[in-house]
Amino acid sequence: MLDITYPPVIVTAKMLFKLMRQRVVVSGSESIPRKGGALLAINHTGYIDFIYAGAGAEPQKRLVRFMIKKEMMDKPGVGHLLRSFHHIRVDRGSGLQSMKDALAYLKAGEVVGIYPEATISRSFEIKELKSGAARIAADAGVPLIPVIVWGAHRLMTKDHEKDFSRSPKTIVVKVGEPLHPTGEDIAAETAELRAAMQRMLDEVIAEYPDAEKEPGSWWTPARFGGSAPTPEKADEMDKAELRERAARRAARAAEKKAGK
């Protein structure tokens, strides 16, 4: 693929990280192949995880094609930029096309980034995973590589104000050992992926700089002494949000019908 905008934007992003006093720490990047397709399964704690997840592949000189929801891909301005990076448009109402696109990219030797939790985790723990990641990797015959991004949610996530201040922040990108799904037991292979991601997340949180571990911080899981919602509470919040969205859609449909 011809990448005109992607490389210079990466250089610009690195400069911004330094200006914002962010320390991006990458480990395990050797798990990403220098050539050939690979599917990165990334945890999802905030709106800009993908900006940092790409740093996990940079030491191997690979560009990641992320699967991004159509609402972002279709936005004026930012959407044009994302499309120029050859990211994959995901329509949650009909995900078949995005899976086909991801499969084509992988077979063409690209590195693709997927969020198997599908939505942001309000608890900042690993949610239950969709089976798509294991299915796509098995169908493409490529390694499925777990990736944990930790700290990016401190800048921009659900239910909290944005924080792009210059207060020092560490962003950790940990790349795990490749998994090799065969498709023979997708449920078991998805469970294996989740277990790997959970183990890696625990390691990253435990190793996070002590100077930034504020007691009771909102961005730390309750299990680690933070004030983030428990997974159970987060699930309730997610369901309430879905009900509100459905109610708004129904109200808009009723208004449209009444206006005819």
Side-chain angles (χ1 to χ4, degrees), residues 33-83:
R34 284 191 174 272
K35 292 183 179 180
L39 183 61
L40 309 185
I42 310 154
N43 69 317
H44 203 8
T45 58
Y47 293 112
I48 56 175
D49 297 333
F50 68 96
I51 293 176
Y52 299 90
E58 190 187 1
Q60 298 295 85
K61 303 189 184 304
R62 303 301 304 271
L63 296 176
V64 184
R65 316 301 177 177
F66 291 97
M67 299 182 73
I68 297 178
K69 63 181 182 179
K70 69 180 183 69
E71 289 82 0
M72 283 190 68
M73 293 287 280
D74 294 345
K75 269 189 177 180
V78 66
H80 177 77
L81 186 63
L82 293 174
R83 292 192 299 274

Side-chain angles (χ1 to χ4, degrees), residues 88-137:
I88 299 170
R89 185 176 183 272
V90 177
D91 184 345
R92 288 177 180 170
S94 177
L96 184 59
Q97 186 58 52
S98 61
M99 290 184 72
K100 287 181 178 178
D101 292 342
L103 191 60
Y105 273 43
L106 291 166
K107 288 185 174 180
E110 297 288 339
V111 175
V112 172
I114 188 171
Y115 292 95
E117 295 168 284
T119 59
I120 288 174
S121 170
R122 283 183 158 102
S123 70
F124 310 125
E125 297 271 18
I126 304 299
K127 299 175 68 170
E128 291 301 317
L129 307 186
K130 305 297 183 183
S131 63
R135 292 181 187 278
I136 294 171

Side-chain angles (χ1 to χ4, degrees), residues 162-173:
K162 300 173 186 175
D163 180 9
F164 292 104
S165 66
R166 294 187 69 249
S167 59
K169 295 180 182 67
T170 299
I171 315 293
V172 177
V173 183

